[in-house]
Amino acid sequence: MSALSEHEPCEAWVPKNARELVRVGLGEWEGRAMLDIRAFAQTPEGPVHTRKGLTLGLDRAPALLEAFQTVMEEARARGLLAPPAGPPAPLSNGG
C-alpha cells in the first residue's frame, strides 16, 4: 500500500465556466505520486471526468507552482489582475 492510498483524497476544485470545473489533486500511477489537473463537466448527476488535463510527477509540482507565480506577478504588473486580497483559500475535499 502506498502513502497516497493510506489517506483521504486530496483535491481542490476551481470553477472554469458555467459548465466546467477544474480539479487539482494528488494521484498515483504505477506507484509514483502524481499531480493531476483535470477538467470536469458539470452535469445534474455531478462532475464528470473529461480527457482534458495535465498529469505530472509530483516532484515537478514546485517548478509548476513557481511558473504560475511568475506569470501571476507579471499579470499584476501589467494591470491584468488586482493585487491579492489576502491569504489563499484552504484546499477542499470535494466538489
Side-chain angles (χ1 to χ4, degrees):
M1 184 176 291
S2 76
L4 281 175
S5 61
E6 295 171 7
H7 298 282
E8 292 293 320
C10 177
E11 55 192 26
W13 296 83
V14 179
K16 179 179 176 186
N17 56 45
R19 296 172 300 188
E20 291 182 295
L21 299 167
V22 175
R23 186 196 71 190
V24 180
L26 295 177
E28 187 173 2
W29 177 257
E30 297 183 353
R32 187 170 173 218
M34 306 298 283
L35 173 66
D36 188 49
I37 303 170
R38 185 97 12 224
F40 279 69
Q42 293 198 71
T43 71
E45 295 78 31
V48 176
H49 184 276
T50 71
R51 295 179 50 107
K52 298 182 220 172
L54 172 69
T55 302
L56 298 170
L58 194 54
D59 61 325
R60 305 300 302 153
L64 182 62
L65 179 59
E66 185 176 329
F68 273 117
Q69 290 170 332
T70 298
V71 171
M72 296 301 290
E73 288 171 11
E74 183 60 26
R76 285 187 184 97
R78 293 181 184 193
L80 301 172
L81 287 174
L91 293 177
S92 66
N93 284 329

